[in-house]
Amino acid sequence: YSCVSSIIEDLIARKIFNNRGDETIEVDVITTGGFGRVGAPAGKSRGKAEVSYYPQGGVEQAIKKIDDLIAPELAGLNADFQQEIDDTLHEIDGTSDFKNIGGNTAFAISLANAEAAANSHGLLLFQFLGGSSANTLPYPLGNCISGGQHARGKAPSIQEYLALPHGAESFLEAQTANTLIHKRIGDSLKKKITSFNGGKSDEGAWIANVTTDDAFEIMARTCEEVGNELDFECGFGIDVAASSFWKPKEQKYMYENGDKKRDTAEQLEYMLELIEKYHLTYIEDPFHEDDFDSFAELTRKSKNCLICGDDLFTTNTERLNNGIKINAGNAIIIKVNQIGTLTDAAETIEMAQRNGYDAVVSHRSGDTCDWHIAHLAVAYKCPVIKTGVVEGARIAKLNELIRIEHFLGSRAKMAALNVC
């Protein structure tokens, strides 16, 4: 694709706000014939192996580093050569975890560069990154009930209850199912809990004082009802986010305000029970972030369920490689800002796919109306995108996938999932 119109002329950085009202960075990359703009997200439950979000001094300092340090280095380079741009960011930073310039700074520049390159050639981002074979749409994995660190009060310890309409024949059909499931669950919670006031988490999922068991029953019933109505299978899954309630001193998982405690063996049995009882199609982070062995055992003992690592892998090839060696999990969350650059994330996706892992491109709980991950899911043939159901920052990405599907027309097809 290389051409003169892709030469970087300038980088412009500014402070914006994410859906939580927290400050974040947005970067414009301007080339001779194109333009790219990306805002960085922020997670609430973060894996300890994630890169540093910002240098000391926060967003203000990150903007200063772009103006003084990064923009002069990148000006004159060709945006078409993504790896060169990303290598330059690593060189400028000089640390292993972007402590100097910030992982979100690197993320926003890297992705904005890719968009500017695509724009310079009159292409959409997924076309530029994925070429003519990029025509598969991911299934939307939608958060419907929030617990854990995403909730308040007496919500369940399990962080997310997620709809996965894997029987849908188009993305639009799948997203229609998720919106219906989300609405019906709201109605069910109103009927069940007199104090329920329609509260939602950062991701737009319902927050209610329900027990873990009640949340499972409501999800199972609603997904089955909607699946029957639409005449395709709507499965569901959970993000346990087990690191957030693992107590290393006690070697126990502490559930629901300390009412229930489970050691590692009991946690494994509990996960297997849930898979069997509710026919779960997806479990994310069922154990704490360093328990590769339990991930491997659950993967070995479970059937037709994606066992997905987020905190376990943090989009990191080294950590993924540790998992591959012992078959820990069969799916991986991809969050570009966990690792810093598009090149780093693409390498992780390729390693996952070579080894039979499903890649799940994901938002962060604190997100902007940035839509780029929708294009990444299509470009890199990722079979699942995890990005909520209805909240503004989520709908921006989901509507973009509807547009991509419409643009592809008869060429569009749904991705193949390993387990469903």
Side-chain angles (χ1 to χ4, degrees), residues 151-157 207-212 256-257:
R152 299 170 286 279
K154 293 179 182 173
S157 298
I207 296 177
N209 289 346
V210 287
T211 64
T212 297
E256 269 148 56
N257 308 319

Side-chain angles (χ1 to χ4, degrees), residues 8 17 19 24 30 39 149 162 182 206 223 226 240 252 265 269-270 272 275 291 314 325 340 352 398 409-410 413:
I8 295 172
F17 296 93
N19 67 311
T24 189
I30 300 154
Q149 290 192 347
L162 302 145
H182 185 277
W206 303 109
C223 288
V226 170
V240 184
K252 294 268 173 81
E269 281 312 305
Y270 181 47
L272 286 166
I275 291 169
D291 193 355
T314 57
K325 283 174 190 165
L398 295 160
S410 60
K413 58 181 183 177

Side-chain angles (χ1 to χ4, degrees), residues 11 48 67 110 124 141 172 404 412 420:
L11 266 70
K48 67 180 184 185
D67 292 344
S110 179
L124 297 173
L141 181 65
L172 183 58
I404 292 171
C420 302

Side-chain angles (χ1 to χ4, degrees), residues 212-390:
T212 297
D213 290 345
D214 281 344
F216 272 109
E217 293 298 334
I218 290 167
M219 277 298 293
R221 187 174 64 247
T222 311
C223 288
E224 190 178 357
E225 276 173 17
V226 170
N228 288 338
E229 276 175 42
L230 298 179
D231 201 25
F232 58 79
E233 198 168 349
C234 293
F236 81 101
I238 50 174
D239 177 0
V240 184
S243 291
S244 62
F245 55 95
W246 167 250
K247 306 298 174 198
K249 277 187 183 170
E250 296 190 39
Q251 293 288 293
K252 294 268 173 81
Y253 294 94
M254 307 285 279
Y255 278 80
E256 269 148 56
N257 308 319
D259 293 344
K260 286 194 181 78
K261 299 178 185 179
R262 293 185 172 96
D263 63 23
T264 301
E266 289 166 334
Q267 179 77 350
L268 179 73
E269 281 312 305
Y270 181 47
M271 293 297 119
L272 286 166
E273 280 168 26
L274 291 174
I275 291 169
E276 192 172 341
K277 183 174 181 181
Y278 296 108
H279 310 294
L280 297 183
T281 52
Y282 180 90
I283 290 188
E284 182 181 327
D285 284 351
F287 306 100
H288 70 80
E289 60 202 315
D290 290 319
D291 193 355
F292 283 86
D293 291 337
S294 293
F295 264 86
E297 199 174 342
L298 182 63
T299 308
R300 196 166 61 249
K301 289 183 174 176
S302 61
K303 286 194 182 88
N304 297 326
C305 185
L306 288 172
I307 310 299
C308 187
D310 176 15
D311 293 344
L312 185 76
F313 296 132
T314 57
T315 317
N316 183 306
T317 50
E318 203 176 309
R319 288 182 71 89
L320 175 58
N321 198 39
N322 291 340
I324 288 165
K325 283 174 190 165
I326 59 168
N327 295 318
N330 53 25
I332 178 175
I333 287 282
I334 300 293
K335 294 171 175 169
V336 182
N337 86 320
Q338 280 182 330
I339 197 68
T341 72
L342 187 55
T343 301
D344 292 317
E347 281 172 11
T348 308
I349 293 169
E350 282 158 26
M351 178 185 275
Q353 289 171 337
R354 272 200 317 273
N355 290 279
Y357 281 64
D358 276 348
V360 178
V361 170
S362 175
H363 63 179
R364 304 306 300 251
S365 54
D367 218 317
T368 70
C369 289
D370 198 280
W371 41 261
H372 294 82
I373 66 166
H375 285 256
L376 300 189
V378 178
Y380 296 120
K381 301 179 176 61
C382 299
V384 180
I385 188 166
K386 185 187 185 196
T387 184
V389 182
V390 292

Side-chain angles (χ1 to χ4, degrees), residues 95-249:
T95 70
S96 60
D97 63 352
F98 281 113
K99 214 176 246 102
N100 223 337
I101 65 170
N104 267 351
T105 314
F107 162 86
I109 294 168
S110 179
L111 214 42
N113 176 79
E115 193 201 348
N119 192 245
S120 300
H121 297 285
L123 294 168
L124 297 173
L125 182 61
F126 82 90
Q127 294 174 300
F128 180 74
L129 293 175
S132 58
S133 65
N135 64 340
T136 57
L137 279 293
Y139 290 95
L141 181 65
N143 190 4
C144 295
I145 300 174
S146 272
Q149 290 192 347
H150 289 181
R152 299 170 286 279
K154 293 179 182 173
S157 298
I158 287 171
Q159 191 162 280
E160 295 172 6
Y161 293 78
L162 302 145
L164 183 59
H166 57 82
E169 289 182 13
S170 71
F171 184 83
L172 183 58
E173 265 187 15
Q175 178 56 17
T176 301
N178 274 6
T179 54
L180 268 175
I181 290 164
H182 185 277
K183 283 177 187 169
R184 299 270 177 90
I185 285 170
D187 294 341
S188 295
L189 290 169
K190 275 178 205 152
K191 284 177 194 161
K192 188 167 185 65
I193 305 153
T194 50
S195 63
F196 180 67
N197 62 3
K200 291 180 182 179
S201 68
D202 294 333
E203 297 180 10
W206 303 109
I207 296 177
N209 289 346
V210 287
T211 64
T212 297
D213 290 345
D214 281 344
F216 272 109
E217 293 298 334
I218 290 167
M219 277 298 293
R221 187 174 64 247
T222 311
C223 288
E224 190 178 357
E225 276 173 17
V226 170
N228 288 338
E229 276 175 42
L230 298 179
D231 201 25
F232 58 79
E233 198 168 349
C234 293
F236 81 101
I238 50 174
D239 177 0
V240 184
S243 291
S244 62
F245 55 95
W246 167 250
K247 306 298 174 198
K249 277 187 183 170

